[in-house]
Amino acid sequence: MSELLKILEQRGLLYQTTDDETDDRPLARLLDSKRVTGYAGFDPTAPSLTIGNLVPVMLLAHFQRAGHR
């Protein structure tokens, strides 16, 4: 399994993915095979953000630390 997915599951940021019960996990295979781009749909330059924006920001930070964009 992808190291990134393990970290996200351990931290409670990932609950479920498609085909996560099978041995051939497409998302893990994708994350291990190439660099992917993550996106969160909010404006970080807005005058204020809510606590609800924190989880996507943390998720994107983990993606970046794992070498993704």
Side-chain angles (χ1 to χ4, degrees):
M1 179 195 305
S2 166
E3 188 65 29
L4 175 59
L5 291 180
K6 286 180 188 177
I7 291 170
L8 296 178
E9 285 178 350
Q10 289 171 351
R11 294 180 177 268
L13 294 171
L14 181 66
Y15 174 70
Q16 181 178 4
T17 62
T18 303
D19 295 331
D20 61 358
E21 297 297 321
T22 64
D23 291 333
D24 180 34
R25 295 181 75 176
L27 181 57
R29 205 174 54 236
L30 173 69
L31 292 172
D32 287 339
S33 67
K34 66 179 185 176
R35 192 166 105 177
V36 299
T37 300
Y39 171 79
F42 60 86
D43 179 10
T45 63
S48 66
L49 297 173
T50 67
I51 192 69
N53 298 115
L54 181 60
V55 172
V57 169
M58 290 171 43
L59 185 63
L60 291 175
H62 283 290
F63 261 76
Q64 189 175 33
R65 286 186 203 119
H68 300 286
R69 297 185 314 179

